[in-house]
Amino acid sequence: MTTISAPAVAHGELRGLVTRIVERAGFRDADAREIADALVEADLRGIVSHGVMHVPNLVKRTKLGLVRTTPDMKVLAESASVARIDADRAAGFIAAARAMDTAIAKARATGVGAVAVTNSTHYGMGARYAERAARAGMIGLALANATATMPSPGGARALLGTNPISFAVPGEGDAAAICLDMGLGQVTLNSVRDAAKRGRALPEGVAAANDGTPTTDPAKALDGGFLLPFGGHKGFGLAVLVEVLAGVLTGAGIGRDVGSLFVDYDRAQNTGHFLLALDVSHFCSLEQFRSRRDFLVSWIQASPRAAGAGPALLPGQREYQTRRERIASGIPLPKETAADLAVLAEELGVAVPQSLRDAA
Ligand SMILES: NC(=O)c1ccc[n+]([C@@H]2O[C@H](COP(=O)([O-])OP(=O)(O)OC[C@H]3O[C@@H](n4cnc5c(N)ncnc54)[C@H](O)[C@@H]3O)[C@@H](O)[C@H]2O)c1
């Protein structure tokens, strides 16, 4: 859990600040805007663990040459519906957005576009890339591998990351009708780091110490210990699936070869992404798809509920609701994040908005 400050910062102000910081770090204008959009969008949806708190580390990694601000991305292999791209240590936010745009163009022509990306870096909230396809009228899937933090069931060695799966289905406006966006750990690595910083215990069953025994102590989980996959062997199985598509197939690192964002500063991350776009109109008419999709949505939403339970939600609905609230009333940034951004902005000669100073 994070400390929430008041007052909140308007999303436009935060986006402007992050864009200017990232530009000063050397990114081209359009790329700086894309990165700022991706990070602020996560905070707007309440996904604080993948929001602007990452800016100082991104700038640090850029200075160390672990993330390149002007990468020379190259197509390594290509056919009508497939491409494999070397991202040249681009910011993952940029590499994955471009790769999904390529997948969308291929799907437009052939019905399916699948793009594998190697030599990339952290891409934050995966929904961003799956939704790019949904906004183009396509079903989108985005996968990434992450540094090894999870053992196999009963294991005592970190084998695979919390490898996020993000899946979006076109809706009527900008928002997807369905947007499943999840890491495969019971909790994210960032929430364990946060609990350690604040001296808070973890919930039961989300982490293990370095000998594989369950622990609620975040320090033990971080000191050679592990995050546990959600759903036991099933979550682990999904992590293997993602590792095959985003690691093995792409040519990127596998398991511990993928550098940790907050631990490994002596080597590039070499994470991989897998982006898939399916153009609905190649499978059936858009009208048929919409009507069948709406049937599924109402089937779920109209379902009977247990006493005291709230309404049935579709994946993504909770985040879209938070987004609407935060567009209206601002983003309640954690105090440390606001303070870190203010310090970084001053170091880089970027003006700090008063609302961020108030939040710090
Ligand atoms: N880049 C990386 O390496 C990496 C790694 C792990 C996670 N992530 C990102 O972290 C973010 C958070 O992941 P998470 O696993 O903590 O997500 P989460 O557990 O908060 O949510 C997972 C999904 O469940 C849905 N959901 C939540 N409550 C629901 C309900 N009551 N009914 C129906 N659906 C519901 C959400 O809308 C979401 O789609 C994601 O954006 C993910 O992409 C990134």
Side-chain angles (χ1 to χ4, degrees), residues 47 49-50 122-127 144-146 162-164 166 179-183 185 188 313-319:
I47 304 177
S49 59
H50 289 76
H122 183 69
Y123 80 12
M125 177 185 75
N145 67 347
T162 56
N163 298 357
S166 311
C179 182
L180 175 68
D181 182 28
M182 56 185 238
T188 61
L313 299 177
L314 270 300
Q317 247 185 304
R318 186 188 61 172
E319 287 77 15

Side-chain angles (χ1 to χ4, degrees), residues 18-19 21-27 31-39 50-69 89-94 120-124 261-262 265 269 341 344 348:
V18 173
T19 305
I21 289 177
V22 174
E23 275 170 359
R24 288 287 163 93
F27 287 94
D31 288 351
R33 283 197 300 276
E34 178 64 40
I35 292 169
D37 269 356
L39 293 170
H50 289 76
V52 299
M53 64 161 278
H54 282 272
V55 174
N57 197 46
L58 174 65
V59 172
K60 176 175 172 179
R61 296 186 76 81
T62 299
K63 280 190 190 146
L64 292 169
L66 303 174
V67 175
R68 294 210 168 105
T69 52
R89 300 189 187 176
F93 312 101
I94 304 298
S120 190
T121 62
H122 183 69
Y123 80 12
L261 196 55
F262 290 104
Y265 291 101
Q269 267 195 298
L341 283 178
L344 182 62
L348 294 172

